[in-house]
Amino acid sequence: QSLLTQPPSVSGAPGQRVTISCTGSSSNIGAGHAVHWYQQVPKTAPKLLIYGSYNRPSGVPDRFSGSKSGTSASLAISGLQAEDEADYYCQSYDGSLSGYVFGTGTKVTVL
Amino acid sequence: EVQLVESGGGSVQPGGSLRLSCAASGFTVSSNYMSWVRQAPGKGLEWVSVIYSGGSTDYADSVKGRFTISRDNSQNTLSLQMNSLRAEDTAVYYCARGEFSSAFDIWGQGTMVAVSS
Protein backbone atom coordinates (compact mmCIF):
# COMPACT_ATOMS: atom_id res chain seq x y z
CA GLN A 1 0.00 0.00 0.00
CA SER A 2 1.62 3.22 -1.21
CA LEU A 3 1.81 6.15 1.17
CA LEU A 4 1.84 8.67 -1.68
CA THR A 5 -1.40 8.99 -3.64
CA GLN A 6 -1.59 10.11 -7.27
CA PRO A 7 -4.51 10.24 -9.72
CA PRO A 8 -4.52 7.11 -11.92
CA SER A 9 -4.62 9.11 -15.14
CA VAL A 10 -4.61 12.59 -16.64
CA SER A 11 -4.94 13.62 -20.26
CA GLY A 12 -4.61 16.68 -22.41
CA ALA A 13 -4.35 17.84 -25.98
CA PRO A 14 -1.00 18.76 -27.49
CA GLY A 15 0.10 22.18 -26.26
CA GLN A 16 -2.06 22.08 -23.15
CA ARG A 17 -0.91 22.11 -19.53
CA VAL A 18 -1.58 19.19 -17.20
CA THR A 19 -0.81 18.74 -13.53
CA ILE A 20 -0.30 15.60 -11.45
CA SER A 21 -0.83 15.71 -7.70
CA CYS A 22 1.01 13.64 -5.10
CA THR A 23 -0.61 13.51 -1.65
CA GLY A 24 1.42 12.32 1.29
CA SER A 25 1.34 12.71 5.05
CA SER A 26 3.15 14.17 8.04
CA SER A 27 5.72 11.35 8.00
CA ASN A 28 6.94 11.96 4.46
CA ILE A 29 6.21 15.12 2.44
CA GLY A 30 4.76 16.93 5.45
CA ALA A 31 7.90 16.17 7.47
CA GLY A 32 9.91 18.23 5.02
CA HIS A 33 11.37 15.38 3.00
CA ALA A 34 12.04 16.28 -0.60
CA VAL A 35 9.77 15.09 -3.39
CA HIS A 36 11.11 13.74 -6.66
CA TRP A 37 9.40 12.86 -9.91
CA TYR A 38 10.15 10.15 -12.47
CA GLN A 39 8.97 9.52 -16.00
CA GLN A 40 8.66 5.93 -17.17
CA VAL A 41 7.98 5.02 -20.76
CA PRO A 42 6.58 1.45 -20.94
CA LYS A 43 9.20 -1.29 -20.96
CA THR A 44 11.98 1.09 -19.92
CA ALA A 45 13.60 2.13 -16.66
CA PRO A 46 12.33 5.21 -14.81
CA LYS A 47 14.07 8.50 -15.55
CA LEU A 48 14.57 11.24 -12.97
CA LEU A 49 12.54 14.28 -14.02
CA ILE A 50 12.47 16.57 -10.96
CA TYR A 51 14.56 16.33 -7.81
CA GLY A 52 14.40 18.25 -4.56
CA SER A 53 10.77 19.16 -5.31
CA TYR A 54 11.64 21.85 -7.87
CA ASN A 55 14.91 21.12 -9.66
CA ARG A 56 15.40 19.68 -13.15
CA PRO A 57 18.40 17.49 -14.00
CA SER A 58 20.42 18.54 -17.00
CA GLY A 59 18.61 17.70 -20.22
CA VAL A 60 15.06 17.81 -18.85
CA PRO A 61 12.99 20.41 -20.71
CA ASP A 62 11.73 23.39 -18.73
CA ARG A 63 8.19 22.37 -19.72
CA PHE A 64 8.37 20.18 -16.62
CA SER A 65 8.09 21.90 -13.25
CA GLY A 66 7.54 20.80 -9.66
CA SER A 67 6.01 22.37 -6.59
CA LYS A 68 5.39 21.38 -3.00
CA SER A 69 3.09 22.62 -0.26
CA GLY A 70 2.29 21.07 3.09
CA THR A 71 1.75 17.34 2.67
CA SER A 72 1.38 17.47 -1.11
CA ALA A 73 3.39 18.07 -4.24
CA SER A 74 2.59 18.57 -7.91
CA LEU A 75 4.18 18.04 -11.28
CA ALA A 76 3.14 20.32 -14.12
CA ILE A 77 3.74 19.65 -17.79
CA SER A 78 3.18 22.66 -20.02
CA GLY A 79 3.09 22.62 -23.80
CA LEU A 80 2.16 18.92 -23.75
CA GLN A 81 3.82 16.88 -26.49
CA ALA A 82 3.18 13.38 -27.83
CA GLU A 83 6.51 12.21 -26.40
CA ASP A 84 5.28 13.09 -22.89
CA GLU A 85 2.89 10.14 -22.95
CA ALA A 86 4.22 7.93 -20.15
CA ASP A 87 3.73 6.95 -16.51
CA TYR A 88 4.82 9.44 -13.85
CA TYR A 89 5.73 8.65 -10.24
CA CYS A 90 6.45 10.86 -7.25
CA GLN A 91 8.86 9.68 -4.56
CA SER A 92 9.92 10.78 -1.10
CA TYR A 93 11.35 9.44 2.14
CA ASP A 94 9.17 8.30 5.01
CA GLY A 95 10.50 8.72 8.51
CA SER A 96 7.99 6.34 10.07
CA LEU A 97 9.05 3.53 7.73
CA SER A 98 12.73 4.52 7.64
CA GLY A 99 12.52 3.95 3.92
CA TYR A 100 11.67 5.42 0.57
CA VAL A 101 8.18 5.56 -0.86
CA PHE A 102 6.83 5.92 -4.37
CA GLY A 103 3.51 7.31 -5.45
CA THR A 104 0.81 5.13 -6.98
CA GLY A 105 1.67 6.40 -10.46
CA THR A 106 -0.19 8.46 -13.06
CA LYS A 107 -0.60 7.63 -16.72
CA VAL A 108 -0.47 10.71 -18.94
CA THR A 109 -2.28 10.43 -22.24
CA VAL A 110 -1.85 12.95 -25.04
CA LEU A 111 -5.14 13.18 -26.90
CA GLU B 1 29.79 6.93 -18.85
CA VAL B 2 27.82 6.53 -15.64
CA GLN B 3 25.93 3.25 -15.93
CA LEU B 4 24.30 0.44 -13.95
CA VAL B 5 23.80 -3.05 -15.37
CA GLU B 6 21.78 -5.68 -13.51
CA SER B 7 22.06 -9.44 -13.90
CA GLY B 8 20.95 -12.61 -12.16
CA GLY B 9 17.23 -12.60 -12.78
CA GLY B 10 15.34 -15.70 -13.79
CA SER B 11 12.62 -18.15 -12.86
CA VAL B 12 12.50 -19.80 -9.45
CA GLN B 13 10.00 -21.86 -7.46
CA PRO B 14 8.32 -20.51 -4.34
CA GLY B 15 10.62 -20.87 -1.37
CA GLY B 16 13.70 -20.71 -3.56
CA SER B 17 16.59 -18.26 -3.65
CA LEU B 18 18.13 -15.94 -6.21
CA ARG B 19 20.99 -13.45 -6.14
CA LEU B 20 20.88 -10.29 -8.21
CA SER B 21 23.93 -8.26 -9.13
CA CYS B 22 24.35 -4.71 -10.34
CA ALA B 23 27.62 -3.61 -11.94
CA ALA B 24 28.41 0.08 -11.76
CA SER B 25 30.66 2.06 -14.06
CA GLY B 26 31.64 5.71 -14.08
CA PHE B 27 31.26 6.15 -10.32
CA THR B 28 32.07 4.38 -7.05
CA VAL B 29 29.26 2.37 -5.45
CA SER B 30 30.69 2.72 -1.95
CA SER B 31 30.67 6.52 -2.17
CA ASN B 32 26.93 6.68 -2.79
CA TYR B 33 23.83 5.15 -1.35
CA MET B 34 22.38 2.46 -3.58
CA SER B 35 18.92 0.96 -3.70
CA TRP B 36 16.89 -1.82 -5.27
CA VAL B 37 13.46 -0.90 -6.60
CA ARG B 38 11.02 -3.40 -8.08
CA GLN B 39 8.00 -3.27 -10.34
CA ALA B 40 5.51 -6.13 -10.51
CA PRO B 41 3.93 -6.75 -13.92
CA GLY B 42 1.47 -3.96 -14.69
CA LYS B 43 2.04 -2.33 -11.29
CA GLY B 44 3.86 0.68 -9.89
CA LEU B 45 7.32 1.14 -8.44
CA GLU B 46 8.11 -0.29 -5.00
CA TRP B 47 11.26 0.51 -3.07
CA VAL B 48 12.92 -2.67 -1.73
CA SER B 49 16.19 -1.92 0.03
CA VAL B 50 19.03 0.58 0.48
CA ILE B 51 22.68 0.44 1.51
CA TYR B 52 24.24 3.71 2.58
CA SER B 53 27.82 4.79 2.02
CA GLY B 54 28.59 4.02 5.65
CA GLY B 55 27.33 0.47 5.19
CA SER B 56 24.04 0.64 7.07
CA THR B 57 21.01 -0.92 5.40
CA ASP B 58 17.22 -0.66 5.40
CA TYR B 59 14.48 -2.80 3.92
CA ALA B 60 10.83 -2.56 3.00
CA ASP B 61 8.64 -4.48 5.44
CA SER B 62 7.58 -6.80 2.61
CA VAL B 63 11.11 -8.21 2.23
CA LYS B 64 12.61 -7.72 5.69
CA GLY B 65 14.20 -10.93 6.97
CA ARG B 66 14.21 -12.53 3.52
CA PHE B 67 16.34 -10.19 1.37
CA THR B 68 19.88 -8.98 2.04
CA ILE B 69 21.55 -6.07 0.26
CA SER B 70 25.33 -5.87 0.05
CA ARG B 71 28.11 -4.40 -2.02
CA ASP B 72 31.55 -5.49 -3.17
CA ASN B 73 33.82 -2.47 -3.14
CA SER B 74 36.60 -4.25 -5.03
CA GLN B 75 34.25 -5.16 -7.88
CA ASN B 76 32.19 -1.96 -7.64
CA THR B 77 29.00 -4.00 -7.57
CA LEU B 78 25.75 -4.09 -5.63
CA SER B 79 23.94 -7.33 -4.81
CA LEU B 80 20.56 -8.49 -3.53
CA GLN B 81 20.31 -11.94 -2.00
CA MET B 82 16.68 -13.04 -2.12
CA ASN B 83 15.60 -16.04 -0.01
CA SER B 84 12.23 -17.62 0.72
CA LEU B 85 10.85 -16.17 -2.48
CA ARG B 86 7.11 -15.80 -2.90
CA ALA B 87 4.87 -15.36 -5.93
CA GLU B 88 4.37 -11.72 -4.93
CA ASP B 89 8.12 -11.11 -5.36
CA THR B 90 7.67 -11.53 -9.12
CA ALA B 91 8.83 -8.25 -10.65
CA VAL B 92 11.44 -6.41 -12.65
CA TYR B 93 14.18 -5.44 -10.22
CA TYR B 94 16.09 -2.20 -10.81
CA CYS B 95 19.21 -1.02 -9.05
CA ALA B 96 19.44 2.73 -8.64
CA ARG B 97 21.93 5.28 -7.35
CA GLY B 98 20.76 7.70 -4.69
CA GLU B 99 21.93 11.29 -4.67
CA PHE B 100 22.13 13.85 -1.86
CA SER B 101 18.51 14.98 -2.07
CA SER B 102 17.28 11.35 -1.75
CA ALA B 103 16.37 11.07 -5.43
CA PHE B 104 17.46 8.12 -7.54
CA ASP B 105 19.37 9.68 -10.39
CA ILE B 106 20.82 6.67 -12.21
CA TRP B 107 18.89 3.47 -12.94
CA GLY B 108 19.83 0.15 -14.47
CA GLN B 109 17.82 -1.47 -17.23
CA GLY B 110 16.24 -3.97 -14.83
CA THR B 111 16.28 -7.75 -14.47
CA MET B 112 13.16 -9.92 -14.33
CA VAL B 113 12.46 -12.29 -11.44
CA ALA B 114 9.58 -14.74 -11.83
CA VAL B 115 8.49 -16.86 -8.86
CA SER B 116 6.16 -19.65 -9.87
CA SER B 117 5.60 -23.34 -9.38
Side-chain angles (χ1 to χ4, degrees):
Chain A
Q1 182 180 356
S2 177
L3 300 182
L4 301 180
T5 302
Q6 301 176 229
S9 63
V10 299
S11 61
Q16 284 189 330
R17 182 178 187 267
V18 297
T19 61
I20 301 170
S21 61
C22 174
T23 303
S25 68
S26 58
S27 61
N28 41 66
I29 299 175
H33 295 296
V35 180
H36 320 293
W37 291 90
Y38 302 86
Q39 178 191 61
Q40 186 181 33
V41 175
K43 305 292 186 184
T44 68
K47 169 191 170 184
L48 180 62
L49 206 59
I50 297 286
Y51 68 94
S53 304
Y54 314 99
N55 305 292
R56 288 185 306 276
S58 174
V60 174
D62 58 7
R63 303 185 292 103
F64 295 91
S65 61
S67 63
K68 174 188 168 185
S69 179
T71 58
S72 296
S74 290
L75 173 72
I77 310 173
S78 59
L80 197 62
Q81 298 183 4
E83 67 201 51
D84 299 333
E85 196 160 277
D87 295 320
Y88 293 81
Y89 295 89
C90 60
Q91 177 247 315
S92 186
Y93 180 84
D94 192 280
S96 295
L97 298 178
S98 294
Y100 300 86
V101 287
F102 285 93
T104 49
T106 298
K107 181 176 180 59
V108 170
T109 301
V110 181
L111 301 173
Chain B
E1 180 188 6
V2 175
Q3 193 176 1
L4 293 168
V5 178
E6 302 96 335
S7 60
S11 296
V12 62
Q13 293 188 334
S17 298
L18 212 55
R19 186 177 183 87
L20 306 182
S21 292
C22 173
S25 56
F27 73 98
T28 303
V29 164
S30 61
S31 297
N32 296 266
Y33 72 92
M34 301 293 297
S35 266
W36 289 96
V37 176
R38 68 184 180 183
Q39 186 170 35
K43 303 296 184 182
L45 301 173
E46 179 189 16
W47 172 77
V48 172
S49 181
V50 64
I51 183 167
Y52 294 99
S53 56
S56 61
T57 59
D58 271 316
Y59 300 89
D61 286 345
S62 57
V63 307
K64 202 170 292 184
R66 300 187 299 124
F67 290 12
T68 302
I69 191 172
S70 62
R71 67 188 182 212
D72 184 329
N73 296 343
S74 66
Q75 298 291 318
N76 206 31
T77 58
L78 177 74
S79 294
L80 186 68
Q81 177 65 42
M82 304 185 295
N83 299 330
S84 303
L85 283 162
R86 306 166 180 167
E88 54 265 36
D89 295 319
T90 294
V92 174
Y93 284 73
Y94 297 99
C95 64
R97 184 180 79 172
E99 53 87 74
F100 72 95
S101 73
S102 81
F104 300 115
D105 64 341
I106 305 295
W107 294 67
Q109 85 287 354
T111 187
M112 181 69 199
V113 172
V115 184
S116 172
S117 54

